[in-house]
Amino acid sequence: MIEASSILKGNGLQVETQYSILLEELLELCRKNLPSVDEDLIRRAFRVSYWAHRNDRRASGELYIAHPLTVARIYVEQIGFDDVGVAASLLHDVVEDTEISLEFIAATFDEKLASIIDGLTKMSGAFENRDITKAENVRKLMLSMASDIRVIFVKFADRLHNMQTLGSLPAHKQFRIASETLTLFTPLAHRFGFHSLKNQLEDFCLAYIHPEEYDEITTGLRNTQNDRDAYIKSFIEPLRERLSSDGFKFDIYGRSKNLYSIYRKMKRQDKPLSEIFDIFAIRIVLEGEGSKGKEECWRVYSIITDLFKPIPERFRDFVSVPKSNGYQSLHTTVFGPDGRRVEVQIRTRDMHEIAEKGVAAHWKYKEEVKSDDQEMDRLLTWVRDLLEDPESENATEFVRDFRLNLYDEEIYIFTPKGDLFTLPSGASPVDFAYLIHTQVGSHCIGAKVNGKMVPLSYRLKSGDQVEIITSKKQTPNPDWIKFVVTQKARSRIRHWINQKRREAQSLGRDSWNKRSSRAGLTVSDQELARVATRLRFPNLEQLFFEIGSGLYDVNDLVKAVKASHQEELAAKQEEDTLRLQYETFLDSAQSTGKPALLIDGELHSDIKTDYATCCNPIPGDSVFGFLSRTGTIKIHRVSCRNAPNLILNRADRIISVEWSRQKEVQFVAALRVMGEDRVGILSDLTQVVSKNLKTNIRSITISTEDGVFEGNLVLYVQDLDHLRRVIDRIKRIEGIHGVYRFEEQGDDA
Ligand code: MN
């Protein structure tokens, strides 16, 4: 059990003098570079780190504490953000490498520091065995994992010291770490605007990745040093005098370019080193602040171009339009003495701080920075907000809650082997499984996230390491559709469901065919579709699917079909009976000499005739007349539902009638149409009736329920043939399972 108090008091562990001195130097740098310093915090962080690493040594052989001490020093000097970051630098390796736990950090210091250490610990694991060819993804991962901006800052300082001490590692490790630094860290450092740190990292990378070119460049620089210094001096001196006499306060110096940028120039422009060395670079840093400083930049630019001839196309104005990472400067290239080219940078002290330290410079120096890069803008807005009032509670909240979620829309997931995959945020293990392979997705039965079992509907987080557990017996679950977010997973699951559906349908059809032939039934698909509709199935496919998947008993279908046959038989028998009775009646009427009334579709002048609205007879229908109490003869269809009653009970009023000839008269007929409720069925229906058959529609009403479509059409037709044509044509519309003539409700009985 570790006693925090005894560690902090230093009981039983004497700090070696050289490290005590380094600590004091660190504190001195903090006082110089940071807005405020909690010295006690830094001393305690040092004590805990010293104690935790007491038995560890670096590859170089020195005591391990030298590393966190140097990281803290780099942090203060090159980033200079705040004292909490310094404490975090001192403690950055303790949780990963020693017995100290996060809980210990939280209890001994606070939650904030513990969360930074947690981020640092996680992040160091994030690069292990990573495929850095997907560098941009790994960089995004780093940013999305950082719960606090200082996690990234300390990581930069840590990496710089690792690069500085890379010489003590075996060669293969040197190469790997240098490559990792070049692909992952330098672009990020650039994005944050840590130029000086980025340049140092790049130069170390060059030394380990391209040692020959590194030697060539450093040797070349050394050999030409005196000559170059002399030339720079000859350029600077007259300029210095002129600027001083004009009253400027400034710093002017020859700027040594970073080795890596020289290397890049060599490669890109394919130029010999001597030619690149022939370009000199100087920088003028003005003391003026704000808009006055800006104005001074332009005045100095004007003076330089008075003294030396500029190359116009090399002029760049990053003062009016800063770079996305906040960088500001005026760049120009002029012809110096002997016609040699000199690159000149002009900037204010504030701009210089930002150019060197990036966003961290805002901590100390207020500067209005414009940017159209959204990500950086957010970051800078945050820093700016902090600067409004660094003392306020609000500012502290900001630091604590700030998350570097620059990539909200994507998450980064690892396989157990360390391969990186990008998924949309909200993705589940099922999405991940399908992303790996369709077979993995289809057979997944479970998932482990960071070693723990989770439900398949679990929402993955950036950095999660996901292991998919599969089983040959497992098949996709239709419920997965509810939580998957990727197109691939969704379409594969749907595909599977449809396939299963088709299989079940064909199974259902087979089962029906067998069962119906055993029952001695011969049923057409059309008839079966009518029965299905009556059983409230939207279509035959659904019926077969439900039979095939055991949701509906095929025996019930047999029963329903038999019942339907019986009903039809009964209806036919009833009609036959009726017809027989009517024919008998007609015979008897004729035999008694009663004349048959001829009707021609028009109202008789002498006899009032009318068409019964209970059955709407039309020419060609079998009809009879019924003498009503008012003396009007109503014409009914023989099949009218009121016919049996009238014929059998009021035979005395029945008059036999026949259609005489056909006239261009329109009769009303009503049809009931049933089928499946699919898109466009109504328009197909009206299209067929009104366009194809040129038939007028008096009214149309439709209702849909459970996927079943039911429509009542009232049409104007000329005669029965016309109506039959309409019915035949409607039956052929896709999805229509039944068309029946029916009588509108009337009261003509
Ligand atoms: Mn470290």
Side-chain angles (χ1 to χ4, degrees):
M1 190 67 198
I2 316 155
E3 284 293 337
S5 57
S6 78
I7 296 171
L8 294 174
K9 276 184 217 135
N11 290 353
L13 187 65
Q14 184 62 46
V15 175
E16 289 178 29
T17 317
Q18 63 184 108
Y19 300 111
S20 298
I21 293 169
L22 285 174
L23 174 64
E24 294 310 319
E25 283 176 9
L26 176 68
L27 286 165
E28 183 53 35
L29 279 170
C30 287
R31 284 188 288 269
K32 220 169 76 188
N33 285 343
L34 302 182
S36 69
V37 188
D38 180 349
E39 290 198 16
D40 184 49
L41 168 71
I42 292 168
R43 284 184 195 282
R44 291 193 304 147
F46 170 77
R47 280 244 160 243
V48 170
S49 181
Y50 193 91
W51 184 88
H53 291 299
R54 66 196 179 282
N55 299 320
D56 306 328
R57 287 187 185 275
R58 293 279 284 176
S60 62
E62 66 188 329
L63 212 54
Y64 195 90
I65 188 66
H67 168 60
L69 263 172
T70 314
V71 172
R73 188 186 176 108
I74 293 170
Y75 185 95
V76 176
E77 284 182 325
Q78 309 220 12
I79 292 165
F81 190 67
D82 70 340
D83 49 3
V84 177
V86 178
S89 300
L90 288 169
L91 294 166
H92 78 272
D93 277 333
V94 298
V95 172
E96 195 188 354
D97 296 345
T98 79
E99 67 213 274
I100 297 279
S101 66
L102 272 181
E103 291 70 35
F104 179 91
I105 302 282
T108 310
F109 299 93
D110 57 17
E111 289 291 343
K112 180 167 53 179
L113 191 56
S115 89
I116 297 172
I117 303 300
D118 186 32
L120 283 160
T121 309
K122 278 198 190 124
M123 200 173 293
S124 71
F127 307 118
E128 290 297 323
N129 307 319
R130 289 286 176 261
D131 178 6
I132 58 167
T133 56
K134 291 167 184 159
E136 184 54 26
N137 281 347
V138 183
R139 282 200 293 274
K140 285 177 178 180
L141 171 74
M142 285 174 69
L143 291 181
S144 66
M145 277 171 79
S147 55
D148 187 299
I149 195 168
R150 286 164 293 200
V151 174
I152 299 286
F153 290 177
V154 174
K155 205 70 209 167
F156 283 141
D158 183 33
R159 184 49 64 129
L160 180 57
H161 188 230
N162 288 340
M163 291 305 294
Q164 285 168 351
T165 53
L166 204 54
S168 7
L169 291 185
H172 70 278
K173 279 196 180 174
Q174 292 174 349
F175 186 82
R176 191 185 65 76
I177 293 174
S179 311
E180 190 183 272
T181 304
L182 198 59
T183 43
L184 301 183
F185 285 87
T186 58
L188 260 193
H190 177 73
R191 181 173 289 171
F192 280 93
F194 296 127
H195 285 110
S196 127
L197 188 128
K198 185 205 80 168
N199 289 345
Q200 296 169 67
L201 286 176
E202 280 181 346
D203 287 354
F204 281 117
C205 291
L206 184 67
Y208 289 102
I209 297 172
H210 304 288
E212 282 173 19
E213 285 91 339
Y214 178 85
D215 284 345
E216 187 191 350
I217 294 168
T218 45
T219 312
L221 280 176
R222 217 173 18 249
N223 292 346
T224 54
Q225 194 66 51
N226 290 342
D227 181 38
R228 298 162 54 76
D229 285 351
Y231 184 78
I232 291 282
K233 200 163 178 250
S234 74
F235 182 88
I236 283 179
E237 282 318 315
L239 193 55
R240 190 197 299 281
E241 271 171 39
R242 169 70 191 273
L243 293 179
S244 299
S245 70
D246 280 16
F248 288 102
K249 286 205 166 59
F250 63 96
D251 212 0
I252 185 167
Y253 51 90
R255 179 167 62 88
S256 58
K257 283 187 179 167
N258 97 308
L259 307 177
Y260 191 74
S261 75
I262 295 172
Y263 166 78
R264 252 201 325 245
K265 241 182 202 164
M266 264 169 75
K267 289 287 158 193
R268 202 171 45 214
Q269 304 178 356
D270 198 25
K271 280 182 180 166
L273 208 49
S274 57
E275 230 176 279
I276 292 164
F277 282 165
D278 210 36
I279 300 169
F280 297 86
I282 70 145
R283 180 177 294 144
I284 298 163
V285 179
L286 293 154
E287 298 300 335
E289 283 181 7
S291 58
K292 183 170 167 286
K294 247 184 207 177
E295 193 196 307
E296 283 184 0
C297 290
W298 287 105
R299 278 168 54 208
V300 169
Y301 170 74
S302 155
I303 290 167
I304 290 171
T305 51
D306 276 352
L307 294 175
F308 305 100
K309 188 176 168 350
I311 303 170
E313 57 268 27
R314 300 298 308 275
F315 172 70
R316 295 281 182 279
D317 170 16
F318 297 116
V319 166
S320 314
V321 186
K323 286 190 189 181
S324 60
N325 56 20
Y327 178 88
Q328 284 183 293
S329 262
L330 289 182
H331 291 187
T332 182
T333 302
V334 299
F335 290 108
D338 308 329
R340 297 168 95 175
R341 278 181 288 169
V342 182
E343 292 174 4
V344 184
Q345 292 180 348
I346 308 159
R347 53 171 74 150
T348 65
R349 178 67 58 195
D350 291 355
M351 295 174 192
H352 183 59
E353 282 286 331
I354 290 161
E356 296 289 305
K357 287 188 183 174
V359 289
H362 290 272
W363 186 250
K364 274 174 88 177
Y365 300 98
K366 272 196 190 190
E367 177 66 26
E368 196 66 27
V369 175
K370 290 197 200 88
S371 164
D372 47 11
D373 182 326
Q374 224 186 333
E375 285 167 19
M376 194 48 68
D377 220 20
R378 244 190 294 173
L379 200 57
L380 293 183
T381 306
W382 164 71
V383 176
R384 261 203 308 273
D385 287 347
L386 274 183
L387 290 168
E388 298 302 333
D389 185 5
E391 307 302 324
S392 77
E393 264 303 302
N394 200 22
T396 324
E397 288 289 307
F398 254 120
V399 182
R400 191 164 49 232
D401 298 339
F402 180 70
R403 292 188 73 84
L404 280 173
N405 283 335
L406 303 181
Y407 302 94
D408 289 345
E409 69 280 7
E410 286 179 337
I411 56 171
Y412 307 93
I413 301 301
F414 295 97
T415 63
K417 282 185 191 154
D419 292 330
L420 181 73
F421 288 87
T422 308
L423 279 164
S425 80
S428 66
V430 175
D431 290 294
F432 179 63
Y434 273 104
L435 185 62
I436 296 170
H437 197 278
T438 301
Q439 288 307 310
V440 178
S442 299
H443 295 302
C444 76
I445 51 164
K448 277 186 184 174
V449 169
N450 306 323
K452 278 188 206 136
M453 286 298 297
V454 297
L456 285 174
S457 59
Y458 178 84
R459 282 168 76 97
L460 297 170
K461 290 189 290 295
S462 241
D464 278 349
Q465 189 162 53
V466 184
E467 184 185 347
I468 299 294
I469 300 156
T470 58
S471 159
K472 285 223 167 63
K473 285 184 195 153
Q474 173 73 342
T475 55
N477 184 336
D479 285 346
W480 292 351
I481 288 282
K482 291 177 197 149
F483 57 75
V484 297
V485 301
T486 53
Q487 183 53 36
K488 183 172 181 188
R490 207 190 303 274
S491 75
R492 293 304 149 103
I493 297 165
R494 285 242 168 83
H495 177 80
W496 188 88
I497 293 171
N498 288 338
Q499 195 184 321
K500 282 290 140 192
R501 206 181 153 78
R502 279 192 297 273
E503 284 171 23
Q505 274 168 16
S506 108
L507 211 66
R509 187 178 269 280
D510 285 352
S511 146
W512 159 248
N513 286 344
K514 275 186 208 139
R515 184 65 187 81
S516 60
S517 75
R518 220 189 315 144
L521 293 168
T522 324
V523 187
S524 71
D525 266 11
Q526 207 178 9
E527 190 191 344
L528 199 59
R530 273 202 299 276
V531 175
T533 303
R534 218 174 302 157
L535 291 169
R536 312 306 281 181
F537 288 99
N539 49 40
L540 213 46
E541 287 73 29
Q542 180 66 20
L543 173 64
F544 285 140
F545 167 73
E546 293 198 13
I547 292 171
S549 44
L551 297 168
Y552 185 74
D553 189 346
V554 69
N555 292 313
D556 289 347
L557 181 59
V558 170
K559 274 180 217 154
V561 167
K562 278 183 179 165
S564 157
H565 279 179
Q566 242 141 38
E567 267 172 45
E568 275 170 34
L569 205 65
K572 198 165 176 297
Q573 274 169 356
E574 199 180 327
E575 201 184 311
D576 287 351
T577 312
L578 209 57
R579 193 176 297 277
L580 194 68
Q581 283 176 342
Y582 176 60
E583 278 162 8
T584 313
F585 157 75
L586 278 186
D587 286 350
S588 72
Q590 267 157 11
S591 66
T592 56
K594 265 189 185 174
L597 178 67
L598 288 180
I599 53 167
D600 56 9
E602 283 181 352
L603 294 180
H604 258 261
S605 51
D606 47 350
I607 307 166
K608 280 164 93 189
T609 57
D610 201 355
Y611 300 102
T613 53
C614 52
C615 56
N616 290 313
I618 59 175
D621 279 337
S622 295
V623 289
F624 64 90
F626 182 78
L627 184 62
S628 71
R629 254 183 281 261
T630 55
T632 305
I633 296 172
K634 291 260 184 186
I635 310 299
H636 287 265
R637 282 156 61 190
V638 170
S639 60
C640 172
R641 63 190 148 90
N642 297 314
N645 184 36
L646 296 175
I647 293 170
L648 298 177
N649 299 326
R650 312 300 301 269
D652 53 326
R653 292 183 176 218
I654 297 292
I655 297 158
S656 89
V657 295
E658 274 173 21
W659 299 102
S660 56
R661 62 199 156 86
Q662 205 170 308
K663 280 196 169 182
E664 287 297 304
V665 175
Q666 301 270 306
F667 292 84
V668 171
L671 294 180
R672 174 162 296 142
V673 178
M674 295 174 88
E676 76 191 69
D677 177 24
R678 64 164 175 84
V679 175
I681 193 160
L682 183 60
S683 78
D684 285 358
L685 197 58
T686 55
Q687 179 86 6
V688 162
V689 172
S690 65
K691 294 263 170 61
N692 296 10
L693 295 158
K694 304 258 186 290
T695 303
N696 290 325
I697 299 173
R698 190 176 86 178
S699 70
I700 185 161
T701 56
I702 58 152
S703 67
T704 58
E705 198 187 330
D706 298 333
V708 177
F709 170 93
E710 204 175 291
N712 291 344
L713 264 84
V714 181
L715 309 170
Y716 290 106
V717 294
Q718 269 136 34
D719 54 22
L720 195 57
D721 278 349
H722 182 189
L723 183 62
R724 282 188 182 129
R725 279 202 310 279
V726 173
I727 291 173
D728 277 356
R729 188 63 191 80
I730 291 176
K731 274 183 180 167
R732 277 186 275 137
I733 295 173
E734 187 201 334
I736 298 289
H737 300 145
V739 185
Y740 315 94
R741 186 169 171 197
F742 80 108
E743 289 88 42
E744 269 193 302
Q745 290 306 309
D747 53 1
D748 287 331

